[in-house]
Amino acid sequence: MEKIVLDGEFFNAKDTLNCGQLFRFFSAGVKKDAYFVNSLDKRCLLYNEGKNAVIECEEVDRAYFENYFDLSRDYGAIVSAAEKEGGILSVAARLGKGIRILNQDRTETLFSFIVSQNNNIPRIKGIIERLSAGAGQKREFYGEEYYAFPTAEELAAKPLEFFKEIGLGYRADYIKRLADNFDGTFDASEFSALNTNDLKKKLTSIYGVGPKVADCASLFGFHRSDSFPVDTWIEKVYKENFNGELHDRAKIADFFVDKFGENAGYFQQYLFYYKRSLEKQEL
């Protein structure tokens, strides 16, 4: 087992995992405030200990998780850039400075965010686990069994009824069609070569993928930081803190990308975290 230890000032496990960018993480009983994090067929243990962030993983997976958690990026510089913007963003960045944007597998991210449409987090997580248990391969880590996220081929082998039975509802058709036509629909290397605007156009050409899913896949799967997913929390930020008058979420996203440029995606996470945390305190 490998243990990666780094300064935790800009890496908070709980904040990073709970900011809406991934769904396959679980409280781990092996350590206090620790989480198992799944990606494809891999799993690691993530926690903060004192002033450090710690990742435990299989030796063969070390490089994968170093990239997955974006360890080579200077998040101190990103937080400083946010603080220079002043106002609400400065406050939000100080509060959420431990958040990192992960480098997730593009295929898993696309399927996962199709599942997430008009859905809540507990239900999304439950559906994805049933999807994995029903179509993925069994694995073991830290003495616990888990299931790998299925490949497109494994998903294509399942009938439409399987996707309906695990609770996907109308999304079952989206997942099944994407899996059945995967090679002809989604080429990660081809999509990666596109600029961000063309990438989003290509993603929204996929059956069942709208602007919000395309923004999430762009930011969390392709790490296009000039993407800005807009949900209920971000819409509140826009209206309450930026005096926004637009109602079209795609146009709201464009507003923030125009304002923040290449840092838009990082700033989105700070603003999302800030608004949701503030709301919870007021309840």
Side-chain angles (χ1 to χ4, degrees):
M1 192 72 68
E2 288 280 290
K3 182 181 282 191
I4 306 167
V5 181
L6 58 151
D7 189 336
E9 181 179 4
F10 298 106
F11 192 177
N12 182 284
K14 182 178 179 180
D15 292 349
T16 295
L17 299 179
N18 282 284
C19 63
Q21 61 179 312
L22 77 161
F23 307 106
R24 300 204 71 198
F25 65 95
F26 321 87
S27 292
V30 296
K31 287 183 180 291
K32 184 180 178 182
D33 298 326
Y35 301 87
F36 286 128
V37 180
N38 292 12
S39 178
L40 293 179
D41 60 343
K42 309 176 193 310
R43 170 175 276 196
C44 72
L45 182 68
L46 176 67
Y47 55 94
N48 286 94
E49 190 171 65
K51 294 183 178 181
N52 295 324
V54 183
I55 305 161
E56 295 186 31
C57 63
E58 301 290 350
E59 183 178 356
V60 69
D61 295 332
R62 180 182 180 115
Y64 181 89
F65 282 112
E66 286 177 338
N67 176 67
Y68 181 84
F69 290 111
D70 208 27
L71 299 190
S72 64
R73 199 174 307 275
D74 183 359
Y75 276 80
I78 295 169
V79 170
S80 294
E83 290 180 329
K84 288 177 183 176
E85 292 284 340
I88 190 66
L89 181 56
S90 179
V91 176
R94 286 195 294 270
L95 181 67
K97 67 179 182 178
I99 297 170
R100 308 180 77 84
I101 292 182
L102 309 178
N103 290 307
Q104 299 181 67
D105 176 77
R106 292 156 183 175
T107 300
E108 181 175 353
T109 303
L110 180 58
F111 277 108
S112 296
F113 277 97
I114 290 175
V115 173
S116 76
Q117 295 179 76
N118 299 313
N119 224 336
N120 60 63
I121 297 294
R123 191 162 181 271
I124 297 165
K125 293 181 74 170
I127 290 171
I128 292 176
E129 287 316 298
R130 291 192 291 275
L131 190 75
S132 300
Q137 300 297 311
K138 187 180 289 187
R139 296 284 189 269
E140 184 176 303
F141 179 81
Y142 246 109
E144 285 197 16
E145 291 183 346
Y146 68 98
Y147 288 89
F149 191 87
T151 64
E153 292 77 14
E154 288 170 332
L155 291 173
K158 294 292 182 180
L160 178 61
E161 196 58 34
F162 164 74
F163 299 103
K164 292 180 178 179
E165 288 174 353
I166 64 171
L168 275 165
Y170 70 87
R171 307 167 199 83
D173 289 327
Y174 301 160
I175 296 293
K176 177 60 176 169
R177 187 181 296 194
L178 178 58
D180 285 348
N181 301 289
F182 191 77
D183 289 340
T185 302
F186 180 70
D187 183 328
S189 59
E190 176 193 342
F191 281 41
S192 297
L194 301 172
N195 65 46
T196 303
N197 284 334
D198 288 342
L199 170 63
K200 291 177 187 177
K201 289 177 184 177
K202 197 78 171 174
L203 287 167
T204 53
S205 73
I206 297 172
Y207 181 65
V209 175
K212 168 71 182 307
V213 171
D215 276 326
C216 289
S218 297
L219 180 57
F220 304 132
F222 289 84
H223 211 107
R224 296 300 177 86
S225 58
D226 54 341
S227 299
F228 202 97
V230 177
D231 66 351
T232 301
W233 298 110
I234 290 298
E235 195 167 5
K236 284 188 174 191
V237 169
Y238 170 72
K239 292 177 178 178
E240 296 172 5
N241 301 105
F242 289 85
N243 301 313
E245 297 181 353
L246 296 170
H247 299 285
D248 184 320
R249 289 186 174 182
K251 291 182 179 178
I252 295 172
D254 289 340
F255 165 82
F256 281 115
V257 171
D258 289 343
K259 185 174 181 62
F260 297 134
E262 289 294 325
N263 283 324
Y266 303 107
F267 294 175
Q268 188 268 1
Q269 290 286 273
Y270 300 147
L271 292 169
F272 171 86
Y273 178 79
Y274 168 82
K275 183 58 74 173
R276 193 173 64 165
S277 299
L278 186 67
E279 190 93 357
K280 286 181 178 179
Q281 290 174 10
E282 291 176 350
L283 292 178

